[in-house]
Amino acid sequence: MYHSWWFITLLILICVNLIICSLERLPKTLKLINTPMKPAGETVIKTLPVRKELKVKANLKAVKDEFFNSLAASGFHVSESTEGDSAELYSQKGKYSRLGLYIVHLSILLIFTGAIIGARFGFGGFLNLPEGETSDVAYTGGGKTIPLGFTIKCNWYNTDYYRGSDMPQEFQSELVVIEGGREVLKKVIEVNNPLTYKGITFYQSSYGMIPNAAGVFILKVTPVRGTEHVLNVQIGDTFEMPGTGLKGTINGFSPALTRDPTTGNLITYSDKLINPAVLIQFSEAGKQSFTGWILKRYPETGVLPQGHKVEFFDYWGVEYTGLQVSRDPGVWLIYLASIIMSIGLYIAFFMSNKKIWVRISPDVSGGKSFVKISVGGSASKNRLSYEKEVERIIAKATGAIEERSKK
Amino acid sequence: MTGETFFTISGLSYLLAMVVYITYLAARKNAVGAAATTITVFGFVSQTIALLMRWGDSYNFWIETSPPTTLILSLLRSAPLRNLYESLIFFVWCLILIHLIIEFRYKIRSLGAFVTPLAALTLVFIDVSGTSKEIQPLVPALQSNWLLFHVLISFLGYAAFGVSFGAGVVHLILLTESREDKAYIFWSIIVGIFIIILVAMGFDFFSVSAAKPEEVIQNYFLKSTFRSSSGGIVAISWIASVAFLFIIWRYGLGLKKILTGLSLTADLLDEITYKSIAIGFPLFTVGGLIMGAIWANSAWGKYWSWDPKETWSLITWFVYALYLHARFAAGWRGKRVTILAVVGFITVICTYLGVNLLLSGLHAYGSE
Ligand code: HEM
């Protein structure tokens, strides 16, 4: 559906509509932004959405200065005009916030562009890579082979489980990038932590068992007084605990060993490596000493009566790692557009173009002379909170005027 | 006391608050309103305690079962936003938080009568849907900070949308004058369905509370009414619902009388509807769509795969974008634009519950 002609056509139509509408409105917005503010005059101030009027007993110049300061403290770059005895301060801020929605629209176009680039020049494929093997290609769902341009190798695959349960905690593979016969990059990838090389990204996505594979047991053996040795053995092989006469023979293996709760017998409950265990028969000076299962997930099972340790580190060569392989040259544009959209949304919703006019004129009432202050303002958004801001500006100015008159 | 006890206390408080807020609408006594607010605050505090305790339990569980990680990472990985149950609880918490902020800021109580039912519905839903309350290990795909912030921020956004829904419905009630008005029919059906589902889930709750909680939604949801195995009960449910819708439609104008005269004005409700969307929309865009895409890209190698959840989120996004355009580009005001806000939240419910519970995809929580 999403690659069908009507869906693509719909997307293109949306884009065209968006471009045309935005371009049609943009000049008007730009004009709005670029028109300088003019003094408003008494009558216009009275019609503005935010308006306040007050009278103070002070000198006109002092009132003007304090309003100037208070406006400046709120981030307004104040202009001034005088007309006879009266003065008017006026200013605006945040005029570019009117561009927020254009930024959002632009980011939407960029996302479409990124998606098209990805669909046109990228690919999505997969690769099942057995432990120890390499590949120069990946495969698409349609059965196509995609050359990688380098060689990828899986050193090992491993599932970690939550302690005491069979819930996988992490799937991991160690991948190596080989180019010109040289190892150029090595990384352990996990779900949510892929490897990227030359624009191609390898994601841990699944795993499985290779049918009929003969694996290698990797044992880490440590004699009581001695250091750790790593041994690679196969089923039927015999190894020696270094420096002791103790010999061990690999007699059996279970990918998922457990004790049947009803019968008490040891059974294998899965063919995946959920709880791998190796059966080792130990003998000393030709005499059989004891036989026991050593479990990979429970290292305490590998502590022998004499104190030697046998750690069942891995059963290697029997699993493959399932990799999602993809290249998306458009993704950086998607991310860039996401950032632009976040910024645009912030501007569009949380910033506003605020205008203010403060008219200061001498006034006489009841035989006393006052200074009359008419404040008017408008905001492109959030009028209520702008009203509060205007109140704060006035309070700050009148407070300062009072301070002055006390002195 | 255990965290579970505090959750129960908070759930009961919200249910009680819902009743008291509605009483307040009818009685118009300030004392009743104050009681409703007090009960809500009490419920909110105990839910906060419950959330923190659950986080603690979850943290201990993580420490016990996982390979050692740094303190910060352990806290992030055990944040109580890991499955359907926890995310719904968090939704209720955000909803009540935003409601309380609006109540204190705008000094209006009556909105509570429309927001607390949403909280109650969610809580009852948790119980009847039998969503697992166990602390479960996180599957590898969910172990991502992007995912955590994705869920956290989306739910804040959903809660803001929830408030806009409450305010939008009240706004419509206040604006419609006659029973023939399409907006009147619209709101009476929405309110009716809302109450019917709440009641039907109440029946489910009492009929299944003895059963095992592990059962999934498919087994219980509306099973004692519309999806009952007995044809008679199904028929009665439908007939009763239609009758109830008719009653709401017939007597709904009375609701308008109750609402007028409270400190509610159409302008204020319009402003709350818009403001909640103005907050919810950027949160949902950044947290829901953008962070979701980043997470998907790091986990699956595709930032967008058109799974049902993603598609529905996009639909939700378009509906709210439509609301904003209707308001700003086309200059719509009043009923027409508010209907879009209400429809928006219905798509949110579809996005979250419908898709999570009834369809499967990358987003079905807990399963990969
Ligand atoms: C879903 C993706 C979007 C599409 C396809 C889209 C498309 C459009 C179109 C075609 C117009 C022109 C309408 C007209 O002039 O009659 C428009 C206007 C507008 N859009 Fe969007 N838009 C999208 C998202 C957004 C978002 C997320 C915002 C929020 C910030 C937004 C804010 C606006 C505003 C405020 C206008 C009116 C412009 C004005 O009056 O000057 N748009 N949009």
Side-chain angles (χ1 to χ4, degrees):
Chain A
M1 164 181 165
Y2 308 112
H3 290 102
S4 59
W5 63 268
W6 63 265
F7 189 74
I8 308 265
T9 314
L10 195 70
L11 288 186
I12 292 174
L13 280 180
I14 291 179
C15 286
V16 171
N17 189 5
L18 197 154
I19 294 171
I20 294 175
C21 280
S22 299
L23 285 187
E24 189 192 299
R25 286 182 186 250
L26 188 59
K28 284 185 217 152
T29 311
L30 288 179
K31 207 170 146 211
L32 211 63
I33 290 174
N34 290 326
T35 317
M37 277 189 54
K38 286 202 282 282
E42 189 75 48
T43 39
V44 175
I45 287 180
K46 286 218 168 80
T47 64
L48 289 168
V50 177
R51 47 183 185 271
K52 305 273 169 226
E53 221 178 74
L54 60 154
K55 286 183 180 157
V56 293
K57 230 176 122 57
N59 130 346
L60 198 136
K61 168 100 176 40
V63 173
K64 200 178 74 186
D65 287 350
E66 289 310 340
F67 266 91
F68 190 97
N69 292 342
S70 177
L71 285 169
S74 272
F76 285 103
H77 296 285
V78 187
S79 312
E80 195 182 323
S81 81
T82 44
E83 181 199 323
D85 292 344
S86 319
E88 195 168 323
L89 303 175
Y90 54 93
S91 175
Q92 67 172 327
K93 63 180 178 182
K95 59 182 180 182
Y96 291 105
S97 71
R98 290 185 185 270
L99 292 176
L101 68 110
Y102 297 96
I103 300 177
V104 174
H105 285 171
L106 175 73
S107 71
I108 292 168
L109 294 177
L110 291 180
I111 286 176
F112 283 136
T113 316
I116 291 169
I117 295 178
R120 186 74 190 74
F121 301 106
F123 69 82
F126 68 92
L127 175 64
N128 289 341
L129 199 54
E131 288 176 318
E133 307 235 327
T134 61
S135 173
D136 303 329
V137 294
Y139 305 92
T140 65
K144 270 206 322 218
T145 307
I146 304 157
L148 297 174
F150 52 83
T151 305
I152 188 90
K153 178 179 182 206
C154 171
N155 273 351
W156 48 260
Y157 167 81
N158 178 52
T159 313
D160 266 343
Y161 292 90
Y162 283 100
R163 215 166 299 139
S165 90
D166 287 346
M167 279 281 292
Q169 195 264 328
E170 197 55 88
F171 308 115
Q172 304 169 308
S173 317
E174 186 173 81
L175 299 186
V176 182
V177 175
I178 299 165
E179 221 176 6
R182 259 180 355 106
E183 240 186 53
V184 291
L185 185 62
K186 182 155 102 176
K187 182 174 178 186
V188 176
I189 64 163
E190 298 173 342
V191 184
N192 281 310
N193 184 10
L195 171 145
T196 303
Y197 185 70
K198 293 208 165 154
I200 300 182
T201 307
F202 298 85
Y203 300 86
Q204 181 70 61
S205 88
S206 67
Y207 69 100
M209 303 293 293
I210 307 164
N212 309 321
V216 176
F217 298 97
I218 301 176
L219 305 180
K220 291 186 175 173
V221 299
T222 320
V224 181
R225 277 173 295 277
T227 51
E228 183 182 280
H229 294 250
V230 179
L231 307 175
N232 291 351
V233 287
Q234 290 197 295
I235 200 123
D237 284 358
T238 299
F239 64 91
E240 194 186 308
M241 182 67 67
T244 68
L246 187 68
K247 287 204 162 80
T249 305
I250 311 291
N251 260 356
F253 168 72
S254 163
L257 188 75
T258 193
R259 199 174 282 287
D260 188 313
T262 46
T263 62
N265 294 337
L266 288 173
I267 54 163
T268 293
Y269 65 99
S270 166
D271 53 6
K272 294 221 168 149
L273 292 185
I274 294 178
N275 189 18
V278 59
L279 183 66
I280 305 184
Q281 184 179 67
F282 289 95
S283 57
E284 208 155 11
K287 278 215 315 280
Q288 184 176 330
S289 58
F290 58 90
T291 303
W293 283 99
I294 296 176
L295 288 86
K296 179 170 180 277
R297 286 174 58 193
Y298 300 90
E300 62 276 13
T301 52
V303 182
L304 307 184
Q306 301 92 329
H308 310 309
K309 276 194 212 117
V310 180
E311 185 193 341
F312 178 12
F313 182 69
D314 196 14
Y315 185 44
W316 185 86
V318 292
E319 284 171 299
Y320 65 81
T321 182
L323 303 171
Q324 170 99 33
V325 186
S326 66
R327 191 180 65 198
D328 190 341
V331 80
W332 66 272
L333 192 54
I334 301 277
Y335 283 177
L336 180 70
S338 301
I339 295 172
I340 293 177
M341 183 185 282
S342 310
I343 296 171
L345 284 172
Y346 182 82
I347 295 174
F349 284 105
F350 300 114
M351 288 168 75
S352 110
N353 182 194
K354 298 168 177 170
K355 299 186 176 172
I356 193 162
W357 290 265
V358 181
R359 195 180 165 81
I360 301 160
S361 47
D363 192 33
V364 179
S365 73
K368 290 188 181 141
S369 60
F370 289 94
V371 174
K372 188 169 120 193
I373 307 163
S374 311
V375 182
S378 68
S380 58
K381 260 164 294 187
N382 290 336
R383 187 181 56 82
L384 286 184
S385 76
Y386 183 50
E387 194 154 352
K388 296 233 165 71
E389 186 179 336
V390 170
E391 277 163 13
R392 278 196 302 275
I393 290 171
I394 295 176
K396 186 159 183 229
T398 47
I401 294 166
E402 263 171 42
E403 278 297 302
R404 268 203 198 197
S405 58
K406 275 184 207 148
K407 273 184 201 151
Chain B
M1 279 202 285
T2 64
E4 202 53 41
T5 322
F6 279 106
F7 273 132
T8 312
I9 293 176
S10 71
L12 293 176
S13 312
Y14 295 153
L15 281 172
L16 184 63
M18 168 177 87
V19 175
V20 181
Y21 271 120
I22 292 172
T23 316
Y24 167 68
L25 280 194
R28 301 188 185 198
K29 294 264 180 342
N30 271 337
V32 180
T37 309
T38 313
I39 296 168
T40 313
V41 171
F42 177 76
F44 183 73
V45 170
S46 75
Q47 194 185 7
T48 309
I49 296 173
L51 275 174
L52 291 175
M53 286 173 79
R54 178 146 181 119
W55 198 343
D57 290 346
S58 188
Y59 175 81
N60 289 335
F61 181 82
W62 175 264
I63 296 285
E64 273 161 28
T65 57
S66 319
T69 45
T70 60
L71 176 69
I72 301 274
L73 197 66
S74 306
L75 281 173
L76 288 176
R77 287 292 173 273
S78 53
L81 291 170
R82 305 149 34 118
N83 54 27
L84 183 63
Y85 167 71
E86 290 175 340
S87 64
L88 288 175
I89 290 282
F90 181 67
F91 169 73
V92 172
W93 188 83
C94 295
L95 192 66
I96 298 291
L97 176 69
I98 296 179
H99 166 65
L100 287 175
I101 291 175
I102 291 181
E103 188 172 321
F104 284 105
R105 227 189 116 156
Y106 291 90
K107 309 267 175 295
I108 52 163
R109 285 227 165 85
S110 24
L111 195 62
F114 295 83
V115 173
T116 45
L118 200 58
L121 193 68
T122 314
L123 292 171
V124 177
F125 181 84
I126 291 171
D127 269 316
V128 292
S129 64
T131 51
S132 171
K133 296 182 184 174
E134 299 284 306
I135 293 178
Q136 296 143 327
L138 274 185
V139 299
L142 301 186
Q143 294 171 30
S144 152
N145 293 341
W146 285 114
L147 178 70
L148 181 68
F149 295 121
H150 168 57
V151 178
L152 187 88
I153 300 174
S154 311
F155 270 80
L156 267 170
Y158 287 161
F161 288 152
V163 171
S164 81
F165 171 77
V169 169
V170 184
H171 189 211
L172 287 181
I173 295 178
L174 276 182
L175 285 184
T176 46
E177 301 284 343
S178 97
R179 278 193 278 274
E180 275 69 52
D181 190 335
K182 287 198 192 66
Y184 176 84
I185 298 173
F186 175 78
W187 79 248
S188 59
I189 290 180
I190 297 288
V191 170
I193 292 178
F194 203 73
I195 297 174
I196 290 168
I197 292 183
L198 186 64
V199 171
M201 286 188 355
F203 279 117
D204 290 337
F205 179 68
F206 288 111
S207 62
V208 301
S209 53
K212 283 202 298 285
E214 296 91 70
E215 304 283 356
V216 288
I217 175 105
Q218 276 90 343
N219 292 351
Y220 283 144
F221 185 56
L222 302 186
K223 268 284 148 93
S224 53
T225 48
F226 298 96
R227 297 170 67 216
S228 167
S229 52
S230 142
I233 294 182
V234 175
I236 291 173
S237 309
W238 281 104
I239 293 170
S241 307
V242 172
F244 182 71
L245 284 181
F246 178 78
I247 291 173
I248 295 260
W249 174 78
R250 182 72 188 73
Y251 298 102
L253 286 175
L255 205 52
K256 179 185 153 115
K257 285 212 194 71
I258 293 178
L259 287 170
T260 39
L262 287 162
S263 58
L264 292 169
T265 61
D267 276 350
L268 185 61
L269 288 165
D270 186 54
E271 163 145 348
I272 294 173
T273 310
Y274 165 68
K275 275 233 169 111
S276 329
I277 292 177
I279 291 169
F281 188 79
L283 287 177
F284 178 63
T285 311
V286 173
L289 299 179
I290 297 182
M291 290 192 178
I294 297 176
W295 167 62
N297 195 42
S298 75
W300 318 102
K302 257 188 188 164
Y303 52 83
W304 196 265
S305 24
W306 295 104
D307 84 339
K309 180 92 175 189
E310 287 170 349
T311 311
W312 272 96
S313 310
L314 196 64
I315 294 173
T316 304
W317 195 68
F318 275 120
V319 174
Y320 282 109
L322 202 63
Y323 169 89
L324 295 167
H325 285 87
R327 219 182 145 91
F328 291 112
W332 289 13
R333 279 296 134 89
K335 289 181 262 187
R336 282 202 292 179
V337 70
T338 303
I339 288 180
L340 281 177
V342 173
V343 171
F345 191 68
I346 295 170
T347 62
V348 169
I349 296 178
C350 291
T351 306
Y352 198 66
L353 296 179
V355 176
N356 261 50
L357 296 169
L358 305 174
L359 300 167
S360 58
L362 298 179
H363 280 87
Y365 251 120
S367 59
E368 256 178 280

